[in-house]
Amino acid sequence: MNLYFLVEGVRTEKKVYPAWLGHLLPELQRVDAYELVNEKNYYLISGEGYPSLIYDFIPRAIEEINLSGKYDYFVICLDAEENTVADIRNEIDEFMRTESFELGKTKLVIIVQNRCIETWFLGNRKIYSRNPQNQPLLKNYSCYYDVSVDDPELMGKYNDFNTHAQFHCAYLKALFEEKNITYNKRNPGDVLEAYYLNELRQRIKAQPHQLATFGNFIEFCDTIRAKLPK
């Protein structure tokens, strides 16, 4: 079982996905070059943002996958941002059809982070502060949308933020600062830890209608785990 991961972010996703895979699929070992996969390995690279991930890095990844001949899954992880999840999936599917790409035995899996990976991180209810003391903006954010109750993936765009992702990231940082925890894209901090991931998993277990795209990622990992030799 070998997986090829193409993730959007240059910083956060390159740290988060390996950390989470270490918790969810510890049997898989990361390799530093695509040609080094053998058995129970994964390779992960960044697509350096959108749209380069689709139009520059997907062709390169497919070429490497076909040259290797050893990959079972090609996993593309990217943000929805201001698009819908369906729009992003359709854009990738259309590009694949237009270019007539062939993956042979390798299965394509698209994980869309709706709206961004920080949106997923907001699903940890234990970082939520109902009566913030140190972050005045957090009170405004919480009045606008309570992410401990309502689905973070459905949260809108607050006031003067240009994009949903900018607001979701600011909300997350405010929650962390209230708890005296550091978060930034270069140093995701606690979100890399097993306890944080487990809180997100508990959220979708208790409320399966929420964090749907995060649930897709967990479902994929569960599928891989079931296929790994015992």
Side-chain angles (χ1 to χ4, degrees), residues 27-139:
E27 302 88 350
L28 297 183
Q29 298 297 312
R30 185 178 182 180
V31 296
D32 294 328
Y34 80 89
E35 67 271 18
L36 296 180
V37 294
N38 184 25
E39 179 57 31
K40 293 196 290 187
N41 295 137
Y42 75 93
Y43 175 60
L44 184 146
I45 61 167
S46 168
E48 300 180 4
Y50 171 90
S52 67
L53 176 144
I54 296 178
Y55 300 102
D56 298 329
F57 281 85
I58 284 180
R60 185 184 311 177
I62 291 175
E63 180 181 4
E64 292 178 346
I65 287 167
N66 289 332
L67 283 171
S68 169
K70 293 184 178 180
Y71 286 96
D72 299 280
Y73 289 90
F74 176 29
V75 189
I76 303 173
C77 306
L78 73 169
D79 293 340
E81 287 275 358
E82 301 306 290
N83 300 297
T84 67
V85 172
D87 286 341
I88 293 294
R89 290 180 176 275
N90 290 338
E91 184 175 358
I92 293 173
D93 289 341
E94 180 62 26
F95 179 59
M96 299 278 286
R97 282 193 298 270
T98 300
E99 299 298 321
S100 300
F101 289 129
E102 295 291 339
L103 278 166
K105 71 178 183 67
T106 307
K107 296 179 182 179
L108 175 66
V109 175
I110 303 171
I111 303 293
V112 182
Q113 299 152 183
N114 187 28
R115 298 280 183 164
C116 59
I117 200 164
E118 283 84 8
T119 309
W120 288 1
F121 302 158
L122 287 168
N124 181 349
R125 287 172 292 195
K126 287 192 175 179
I127 65 164
Y128 188 82
S129 296
R130 297 200 172 277
N131 297 296
Q133 303 299 314
N134 304 316
Q135 277 294 318
L137 281 176
L138 185 53
K139 293 182 181 180

